[in-house]
Amino acid sequence: MSFFRQFMAMSVWIRVLIIFVLLWGFLVFVFASKLNAPNTSDSTMKRLNQAIAFMDQSKKRNAELKALIDEYLSDKSNRPEQKWKLIDDIESKLIPSAALRKQINEPSVEYEKLRRRVQTNTQEMWNYVNSEMIKLKKSVNPGDAKLTKQIDTMMDMAAEQKNSLLHDLGQLAEVDGYEAWRYKEASALSDLVQRRLHYLQNPEDCGKAQKLVCRLNKGCGYGCQLHHVVYCFIMAYATERTLILKSKGWRYHKAGWEEVFKPISDTCLTSEGSSHASWSSHIQNTQVVDLPIIDSLNPRPPYLPLAIPEDLAPRLKRLHGDPITWWVGQFLKYLLRLQPETQNMLDAARQKLGFKKPIVGVHVRRTDKVGTEASLHSIEEYMTWVEDYFNKLELSQSVDKRRVFLASDDPKVIEEARKKYPKYDIIGDPDVARMAAVSTRYTDSSLNGIIMDIHLLSMCDYLVCTFSSQVCRVAYEIMQAMYPDASDRFKSLDDIYYYGGQNAHNREAVLPHRAKNHDEIFLNVGDTVGVAGNHWDGFSKGKNERTNQVGLFPSFKVVDKVETADFPKYSNIK
């Protein structure tokens, strides 16, 4: 890649820093040149020497900045922690005073919410226009080719304008001066929660610590079982109990959780371990709660999803477009720390598949629950949104190859996609898809395949899938820990995001609505609406809690109500 392309690919704030340093050096050079004249006085010579020393210091800092930027360009992981460190390093070169570095620009809550709302409503407007155009096209006489062509032209132009607007809104987040704050805040919040979880799982005296037992025996698939463990962990966090995970005999790996993932405690025995005797002696004489599955809880505590902690809520509402997914993602970040063997497996899979960015992750569900919990969607439906993503991406950067990581429980889907879309680089492992079939799913050998699928999906730039699938929702949740806010990096072909067994998902009307059809409901500003789903055509379905009406309403006329609960504040963790 040429230097110019590398330069344009950098974040806006890095480009500004480079230009600033170059201008700085140029001005110092001009200043020194003007001073370097005949008959220079002692005072002028002193200033000249100072200027030369200043130039030398500038060159040194410029070299250090270039090394930091080269490191940034070569780092493909895009983890917030690394960007936070890079920002600190660059700031320390330009601004030696720690006090001045603390004065980083911070956005208001209102600004961040409005910026995200404009972005979301732009997409909702497109959903409506696109849906109506498709209806119009279907109503056209098949022999009227001219009108059909006109509709296609209008749809193409509208899609192009939508992508241009979303691109501009994305650029706004880079040039508004708050990008550095977003990375810092995301890293600071994540670090705080991870330290709280580590403290919870590593009490000073394990024998005296109160404990909560979670049995990994829920009769469902891998994604569902992960969500069961997260629910257990949230309950442990809410009740200040060390989580004990009973996983021996796990249907995916008989030896248990810790054969694949790192122990959830460094100091306490948190699974059966080496023998039943050691397990029993470890939990006796302590107060232990054996936790039922989330569906069986009665009464239901307020800290179940979709609630987030009150003490974190003000920061999360400003930082993130969907705080509950960030919150769940933090528990998965702690739980899914990989054993070296598992990490090596994933690294080898990435290399074998040629997994490179930019890339879109596509998860196609076929063999189970299609026709019961989920509808069948053609590969064309998924690829429509893949193409839409790349069309928008190419407005801001050059794309050498349109790559797609395709995960499925049906190996034929991968072959079908490669045949129908030869201009795309479709990567995926048919052998993993075969192991994901229902007949072989609950075996030790299939576990690596599903872990690989979920982790690679989470590492993609964008997800196209069905949120009726827990595999897709887990990948989306893991993704939240990789960016300050990844709440818009998905397209679901069916459900909105939900957490199985969650408490009510409510939204608040911010605009009135007067029903125009019998299937629509009335809204007054301030009404609470229990959401049942988004039809992705500009309308959502829900119940007005004030009137008890159930029906459709325009999606853009409501906003999510972020539910909070009085979780422990872990005040000893600063």
Side-chain angles (χ1 to χ4, degrees), residues 356-367:
K356 292 168 56 180
K357 291 194 172 188
I359 189 167
V360 174
V362 174
H363 178 247
V364 180
R365 193 182 197 180
R366 279 285 189 271
T367 58

Side-chain angles (χ1 to χ4, degrees), residues 134-199:
I134 291 174
K135 292 178 186 176
L136 179 61
K137 187 176 177 180
K138 288 180 179 179
S139 68
V140 172
N141 189 316
D144 196 342
K146 183 178 180 181
L147 181 55
T148 299
K149 185 177 180 180
Q150 286 179 335
I151 294 173
D152 288 339
T153 302
M154 290 173 62
M155 291 176 69
D156 289 343
M157 179 59 69
E160 191 173 349
Q161 291 189 15
K162 179 265 299 184
N163 282 334
S164 177
L165 182 54
L166 289 176
H167 165 263
D168 292 344
L169 289 169
Q171 292 294 299
L172 175 64
E174 292 189 7
V175 302
D176 58 14
Y178 303 128
E179 187 181 25
W181 172 85
R182 293 184 186 106
Y183 278 104
K184 278 196 168 186
E185 181 70 349
S187 293
L189 273 170
S190 178
D191 178 63
L192 175 61
V193 172
Q194 294 303 307
R195 284 187 288 114
R196 287 181 177 183
L197 296 179
H198 182 268
Y199 167 81

Side-chain angles (χ1 to χ4, degrees), residues 76 346-361 403-406 425 427-428 452-453 455-461:
K76 304 300 183 185
L346 286 177
D347 292 342
R350 288 178 62 188
Q351 185 174 6
K352 176 184 175 182
L353 291 172
F355 187 96
K356 292 168 56 180
K357 291 194 172 188
I359 189 167
V360 174
R403 296 182 189 86
V404 174
F405 171 66
L406 203 163
D425 185 8
I427 66 173
M452 184 194 81
D453 277 352
H455 279 263
L456 292 187
L457 285 168
S458 73
M459 294 174 67
C460 292
D461 301 294

Side-chain angles (χ1 to χ4, degrees), residues 472-537:
C472 181
R473 298 203 307 277
V474 169
Y476 175 65
E477 291 157 351
I478 296 172
M479 181 187 282
Q480 304 310 310
M482 300 181 183
Y483 303 88
D485 182 2
S487 60
D488 63 343
R489 291 178 175 266
F490 80 97
K491 171 57 189 177
S492 171
L493 300 185
D494 54 15
D495 288 337
I496 58 175
Y497 174 82
Y498 66 95
Y499 194 96
Q502 69 186 29
N503 287 335
H505 183 176
N506 293 321
R507 290 179 176 169
E508 181 181 349
V510 293
L511 292 171
H513 182 64
R514 299 295 169 255
K516 299 175 176 60
N517 297 300
H518 69 278
D519 55 355
E520 295 180 19
I521 62 176
F522 286 83
L523 296 177
N524 289 339
V525 173
D527 282 351
T528 295
V529 183
V531 179
N534 191 321
H535 288 193
W536 310 118
D537 59 359

Side-chain angles (χ1 to χ4, degrees), residues 30-50:
V30 171
F31 174 66
S33 299
K34 288 184 178 293
L35 288 177
N36 190 15
N39 304 318
T40 306
S41 66
D42 290 343
S43 177
T44 303
M45 284 299 297
K46 183 179 179 180
R47 291 199 301 272
L48 175 60
N49 290 333
Q50 290 175 341

Side-chain angles (χ1 to χ4, degrees), residues 67-265:
L68 287 170
I69 292 164
D70 288 343
E71 179 185 343
Y72 172 83
L73 288 173
S74 63
D75 178 16
K76 304 300 183 185
S77 61
N78 289 325
R79 293 198 300 271
E81 292 88 348
Q82 292 173 318
K83 292 198 173 185
W84 184 12
K85 181 178 182 300
L86 180 65
I87 293 167
D88 281 343
D89 289 343
I90 291 177
E91 284 180 341
S92 66
K93 304 300 180 187
L94 287 175
I95 313 172
S97 168
L100 288 175
R101 287 202 302 273
K102 289 182 180 179
Q103 297 177 9
I104 186 171
N105 289 334
E106 295 187 12
S108 67
V109 176
E110 292 75 17
Y111 171 80
E112 289 294 86
K113 286 185 175 180
L114 181 60
R115 179 180 60 81
R116 289 192 292 260
R117 177 166 165 76
V118 171
Q119 190 169 14
T120 300
N121 286 349
T122 299
Q123 184 63 57
E124 288 293 352
M125 180 178 67
W126 164 249
N127 291 343
Y128 176 74
V129 171
N130 186 52
S131 174
E132 293 302 308
M133 286 290 190
I134 291 174
K135 292 178 186 176
L136 179 61
K137 187 176 177 180
K138 288 180 179 179
S139 68
V140 172
N141 189 316
D144 196 342
K146 183 178 180 181
L147 181 55
T148 299
K149 185 177 180 180
Q150 286 179 335
I151 294 173
D152 288 339
T153 302
M154 290 173 62
M155 291 176 69
D156 289 343
M157 179 59 69
E160 191 173 349
Q161 291 189 15
K162 179 265 299 184
N163 282 334
S164 177
L165 182 54
L166 289 176
H167 165 263
D168 292 344
L169 289 169
Q171 292 294 299
L172 175 64
E174 292 189 7
V175 302
D176 58 14
Y178 303 128
E179 187 181 25
W181 172 85
R182 293 184 186 106
Y183 278 104
K184 278 196 168 186
E185 181 70 349
S187 293
L189 273 170
S190 178
D191 178 63
L192 175 61
V193 172
Q194 294 303 307
R195 284 187 288 114
R196 287 181 177 183
L197 296 179
H198 182 268
Y199 167 81
L200 180 69
Q201 290 302 111
N202 295 277
E204 291 182 2
D205 189 337
C206 294
K208 295 180 180 179
Q210 294 186 350
K211 300 178 180 68
L212 185 149
V213 176
C214 180
R215 303 177 187 277
L216 194 54
N217 61 354
K218 191 172 183 181
C220 56
Y222 177 77
C224 169
Q225 292 185 15
L226 278 187
H227 280 137
H228 175 62
V229 178
V230 170
Y231 143 70
C232 293
F233 211 171
I234 290 175
M235 294 287 286
Y237 180 98
T239 57
E240 297 185 89
R241 295 173 178 272
T242 301
L243 179 65
I244 305 296
L245 185 61
K246 297 195 70 172
S247 63
K248 192 173 183 180
W250 184 23
R251 67 194 306 183
Y252 275 98
H253 201 301
K254 302 304 180 184
W257 180 270
E258 293 175 6
E259 290 297 309
V260 184
F261 303 108
K262 290 182 178 179
I264 61 176
S265 174

